[in-house]
Short mmCIF file of all heavy atoms in Angstrom, two decimals:
data_model
loop_
_atom_site.label_atom_id
_atom_site.label_comp_id
_atom_site.label_asym_id
_atom_site.label_seq_id
_atom_site.Cartn_x
_atom_site.Cartn_y
_atom_site.Cartn_z
N ALA A 232 69.48 107.21 45.14
CA ALA A 232 70.38 106.56 44.20
C ALA A 232 70.24 104.99 44.26
O ALA A 232 70.66 104.26 43.44
CB ALA A 232 71.79 106.94 44.41
N HIS A 233 69.57 104.57 45.40
CA HIS A 233 69.54 103.11 45.63
C HIS A 233 68.08 102.56 45.81
O HIS A 233 67.89 101.37 45.67
CB HIS A 233 70.32 102.79 46.93
CG HIS A 233 71.73 103.35 46.87
ND1 HIS A 233 72.73 102.92 46.10
CD2 HIS A 233 72.26 104.41 47.57
CE1 HIS A 233 73.81 103.60 46.25
NE2 HIS A 233 73.58 104.54 47.14
N ILE A 234 67.18 103.40 46.21
CA ILE A 234 65.83 102.96 46.50
C ILE A 234 64.89 103.54 45.44
O ILE A 234 64.66 104.74 45.37
CB ILE A 234 65.36 103.43 47.92
CG1 ILE A 234 66.31 103.01 49.00
CG2 ILE A 234 63.95 102.94 48.18
CD1 ILE A 234 66.01 103.52 50.39
N PRO A 235 64.29 102.71 44.61
CA PRO A 235 63.34 103.23 43.61
C PRO A 235 62.03 103.75 44.28
O PRO A 235 61.86 103.55 45.52
CB PRO A 235 63.07 101.99 42.76
CG PRO A 235 63.36 100.81 43.62
CD PRO A 235 64.41 101.26 44.53
N ASN A 236 61.23 104.31 43.50
CA ASN A 236 59.95 104.85 44.02
C ASN A 236 59.16 103.75 44.74
O ASN A 236 58.99 102.67 44.18
CB ASN A 236 59.14 105.45 42.91
CG ASN A 236 57.90 106.22 43.47
OD1 ASN A 236 58.08 107.12 44.29
ND2 ASN A 236 56.75 105.86 42.99
N LEU A 237 58.71 104.04 45.96
CA LEU A 237 58.04 103.00 46.76
C LEU A 237 56.56 103.06 46.70
O LEU A 237 55.88 102.11 47.16
CB LEU A 237 58.52 103.13 48.22
CG LEU A 237 60.05 102.98 48.50
CD1 LEU A 237 60.35 103.32 49.92
CD2 LEU A 237 60.48 101.55 48.15
N SER A 238 55.98 104.13 46.18
CA SER A 238 54.52 104.36 46.22
C SER A 238 53.95 103.94 44.87
O SER A 238 54.63 103.39 44.01
CB SER A 238 54.20 105.78 46.48
OG SER A 238 54.36 106.54 45.33
N LEU A 239 52.63 104.09 44.74
CA LEU A 239 51.95 103.78 43.48
C LEU A 239 52.17 104.94 42.40
O LEU A 239 51.84 104.73 41.28
CB LEU A 239 50.48 103.56 43.75
CG LEU A 239 50.11 102.35 44.60
CD1 LEU A 239 48.65 102.23 44.86
CD2 LEU A 239 50.62 101.07 43.95
N TYR A 240 52.68 106.07 42.88
CA TYR A 240 53.09 107.11 41.92
C TYR A 240 54.33 106.69 41.17
O TYR A 240 55.26 106.17 41.78
CB TYR A 240 53.33 108.43 42.66
CG TYR A 240 52.13 109.21 43.04
CD1 TYR A 240 51.31 108.84 44.11
CD2 TYR A 240 51.71 110.35 42.28
CE1 TYR A 240 50.15 109.60 44.43
CE2 TYR A 240 50.62 111.06 42.57
CZ TYR A 240 49.85 110.68 43.71
OH TYR A 240 48.72 111.44 44.01
N SER A 241 54.39 106.96 39.89
CA SER A 241 55.51 106.51 39.13
C SER A 241 56.75 107.37 39.44
O SER A 241 57.89 106.86 39.40
CB SER A 241 55.24 106.64 37.61
OG SER A 241 54.86 107.97 37.25
N GLU A 242 56.59 108.60 39.86
CA GLU A 242 57.65 109.39 40.26
C GLU A 242 57.13 110.58 41.12
O GLU A 242 55.92 110.86 41.17
CB GLU A 242 58.45 109.95 39.06
CG GLU A 242 57.57 110.88 38.12
CD GLU A 242 58.35 111.28 36.87
OE1 GLU A 242 59.60 111.19 36.90
OE2 GLU A 242 57.73 111.73 35.93
N TRP A 243 58.07 111.26 41.81
CA TRP A 243 57.61 112.41 42.67
C TRP A 243 57.94 113.70 41.90
O TRP A 243 59.06 113.99 41.60
CB TRP A 243 58.42 112.38 43.99
CG TRP A 243 58.11 113.55 44.85
CD1 TRP A 243 58.83 114.70 44.89
CD2 TRP A 243 57.03 113.74 45.79
NE1 TRP A 243 58.30 115.59 45.76
CE2 TRP A 243 57.17 115.05 46.31
CE3 TRP A 243 55.99 112.93 46.17
CZ2 TRP A 243 56.30 115.54 47.24
CZ3 TRP A 243 55.11 113.43 47.12
CH2 TRP A 243 55.25 114.70 47.64
N ASN A 244 56.87 114.45 41.69
CA ASN A 244 57.06 115.72 41.03
C ASN A 244 56.41 116.85 41.84
O ASN A 244 55.77 117.76 41.34
CB ASN A 244 56.32 115.69 39.63
CG ASN A 244 57.11 114.85 38.65
OD1 ASN A 244 58.31 115.11 38.47
ND2 ASN A 244 56.47 113.91 38.02
N GLY A 245 56.70 116.75 43.17
CA GLY A 245 56.20 117.80 44.03
C GLY A 245 54.90 117.45 44.71
O GLY A 245 54.19 116.51 44.30
N CYS A 246 54.58 118.20 45.75
CA CYS A 246 53.35 117.99 46.48
C CYS A 246 52.10 118.05 45.60
O CYS A 246 52.01 119.03 44.85
CB CYS A 246 53.27 119.04 47.62
SG CYS A 246 51.80 118.99 48.64
N VAL A 247 51.27 117.07 45.71
CA VAL A 247 50.04 117.06 44.84
C VAL A 247 48.83 117.71 45.51
O VAL A 247 47.76 117.72 44.92
CB VAL A 247 49.71 115.60 44.46
CG1 VAL A 247 50.82 115.04 43.57
CG2 VAL A 247 49.51 114.74 45.71
N ALA A 248 48.98 118.21 46.77
CA ALA A 248 47.85 118.87 47.43
C ALA A 248 47.38 120.07 46.60
O ALA A 248 48.11 120.93 46.22
CB ALA A 248 48.28 119.36 48.80
N GLY A 249 46.09 120.05 46.30
CA GLY A 249 45.48 121.14 45.54
C GLY A 249 45.78 121.05 43.99
O GLY A 249 45.29 121.90 43.25
N LYS A 250 46.53 120.09 43.56
CA LYS A 250 46.79 119.88 42.14
C LYS A 250 46.16 118.60 41.66
O LYS A 250 45.58 118.53 40.60
CB LYS A 250 48.29 119.85 41.88
CG LYS A 250 48.98 121.15 42.24
CD LYS A 250 50.36 121.34 41.61
CE LYS A 250 51.29 120.20 41.72
NZ LYS A 250 52.66 120.50 41.26
N GLU A 251 46.30 117.53 42.43
CA GLU A 251 45.65 116.22 42.08
C GLU A 251 44.74 115.76 43.23
O GLU A 251 43.82 114.97 43.01
CB GLU A 251 46.73 115.17 41.83
CG GLU A 251 47.67 115.49 40.64
CD GLU A 251 48.65 114.41 40.36
OE1 GLU A 251 48.63 113.39 41.15
OE2 GLU A 251 49.47 114.53 39.44
N VAL A 252 45.08 116.23 44.44
CA VAL A 252 44.40 115.70 45.66
C VAL A 252 43.70 116.87 46.34
O VAL A 252 44.15 118.01 46.33
CB VAL A 252 45.48 115.06 46.60
CG1 VAL A 252 44.83 114.70 47.89
CG2 VAL A 252 46.04 113.85 45.95
N LEU A 253 42.59 116.51 47.00
CA LEU A 253 41.80 117.48 47.71
C LEU A 253 41.40 116.88 49.05
O LEU A 253 41.03 115.71 49.13
CB LEU A 253 40.53 117.84 46.94
CG LEU A 253 39.68 119.03 47.39
CD1 LEU A 253 40.48 120.33 47.28
CD2 LEU A 253 38.45 119.12 46.55
N GLY A 254 41.42 117.70 50.09
CA GLY A 254 41.00 117.26 51.42
C GLY A 254 39.77 118.10 51.91
O GLY A 254 39.75 119.35 51.74
N ILE A 255 38.77 117.36 52.41
CA ILE A 255 37.55 118.06 52.87
C ILE A 255 37.25 117.65 54.28
O ILE A 255 37.17 116.40 54.60
CB ILE A 255 36.36 117.69 51.95
CG1 ILE A 255 36.68 118.10 50.51
CG2 ILE A 255 35.10 118.48 52.41
CD1 ILE A 255 35.64 117.65 49.52
N GLN A 256 37.04 118.56 55.19
CA GLN A 256 36.68 118.31 56.56
C GLN A 256 35.15 118.11 56.64
O GLN A 256 34.42 118.53 55.82
CB GLN A 256 37.14 119.43 57.49
CG GLN A 256 38.65 119.53 57.60
CD GLN A 256 39.11 120.57 58.54
OE1 GLN A 256 40.29 120.71 58.79
NE2 GLN A 256 38.19 121.35 59.15
N SER A 257 34.75 117.50 57.78
CA SER A 257 33.35 117.14 57.92
C SER A 257 32.44 118.33 58.01
O SER A 257 31.20 118.21 57.87
CB SER A 257 33.20 116.25 59.20
OG SER A 257 33.69 116.93 60.30
N ASP A 258 32.98 119.49 58.37
CA ASP A 258 32.15 120.67 58.45
C ASP A 258 32.31 121.60 57.21
O ASP A 258 31.96 122.74 57.22
CB ASP A 258 32.46 121.50 59.72
CG ASP A 258 33.97 121.77 59.92
OD1 ASP A 258 34.75 121.36 59.02
OD2 ASP A 258 34.37 122.35 60.89
N GLY A 259 32.89 121.04 56.17
CA GLY A 259 32.90 121.77 54.87
C GLY A 259 34.17 122.55 54.56
O GLY A 259 34.28 123.13 53.44
N TRP A 260 35.11 122.65 55.43
CA TRP A 260 36.33 123.39 55.20
C TRP A 260 37.19 122.63 54.25
O TRP A 260 37.35 121.36 54.37
CB TRP A 260 37.08 123.74 56.47
CG TRP A 260 36.34 124.72 57.29
CD1 TRP A 260 35.65 124.46 58.45
CD2 TRP A 260 36.25 126.13 57.12
NE1 TRP A 260 35.10 125.63 58.96
CE2 TRP A 260 35.41 126.65 58.16
CE3 TRP A 260 36.64 127.02 56.13
CZ2 TRP A 260 35.09 127.99 58.24
CZ3 TRP A 260 36.38 128.35 56.21
CH2 TRP A 260 35.56 128.82 57.26
N VAL A 261 37.88 123.25 53.31
CA VAL A 261 38.60 122.62 52.26
C VAL A 261 40.09 122.92 52.36
O VAL A 261 40.47 124.08 52.56
CB VAL A 261 38.12 123.09 50.85
CG1 VAL A 261 38.91 122.53 49.75
CG2 VAL A 261 36.60 122.76 50.71
N LYS A 262 40.89 121.89 52.19
CA LYS A 262 42.36 122.03 52.12
C LYS A 262 42.88 121.22 50.92
O LYS A 262 42.13 120.38 50.43
CB LYS A 262 43.03 121.46 53.34
CG LYS A 262 42.57 122.02 54.71
CD LYS A 262 43.24 121.23 55.85
CE LYS A 262 42.73 121.65 57.21
NZ LYS A 262 43.32 120.85 58.32
N GLY A 263 44.12 121.50 50.56
CA GLY A 263 44.65 120.64 49.46
C GLY A 263 44.94 119.27 49.98
O GLY A 263 44.89 118.37 49.20
N CYS A 264 45.17 119.08 51.26
CA CYS A 264 45.46 117.74 51.87
C CYS A 264 44.97 117.88 53.32
O CYS A 264 45.21 118.81 54.02
CB CYS A 264 46.96 117.49 51.81
SG CYS A 264 47.46 116.03 52.80
N LEU A 265 44.28 116.80 53.74
CA LEU A 265 43.69 116.89 55.13
C LEU A 265 44.76 116.90 56.19
O LEU A 265 44.52 117.36 57.32
CB LEU A 265 42.86 115.61 55.36
CG LEU A 265 41.35 115.74 54.96
CD1 LEU A 265 40.67 114.45 55.36
CD2 LEU A 265 40.72 116.91 55.63
N ALA A 266 45.98 116.42 55.89
CA ALA A 266 47.11 116.46 56.89
C ALA A 266 47.60 117.86 57.13
O ALA A 266 48.23 118.08 58.18
CB ALA A 266 48.18 115.54 56.40
N LEU A 267 47.32 118.80 56.26
CA LEU A 267 47.80 120.15 56.48
C LEU A 267 47.10 120.85 57.61
O LEU A 267 45.95 120.55 57.93
CB LEU A 267 47.59 120.98 55.20
CG LEU A 267 48.47 120.60 53.99
CD1 LEU A 267 47.90 121.23 52.68
CD2 LEU A 267 49.93 121.00 54.22
#
Side-chain angles (χ1 to χ4, degrees):
H233 309 289
I234 304 174
N236 189 55
L237 299 172
S238 77
L239 295 175
Y240 279 78
S241 58
E242 59 183 348
W243 176 268
N244 287 308
C246 179
V247 294
K250 298 197 314 187
E251 298 181 2
V252 173
L253 191 64
I255 303 173
Q256 293 184 178
S257 59
D258 51 1
W260 292 104
V261 176
K262 304 174 183 178
C264 169
L265 272 184
L267 290 166

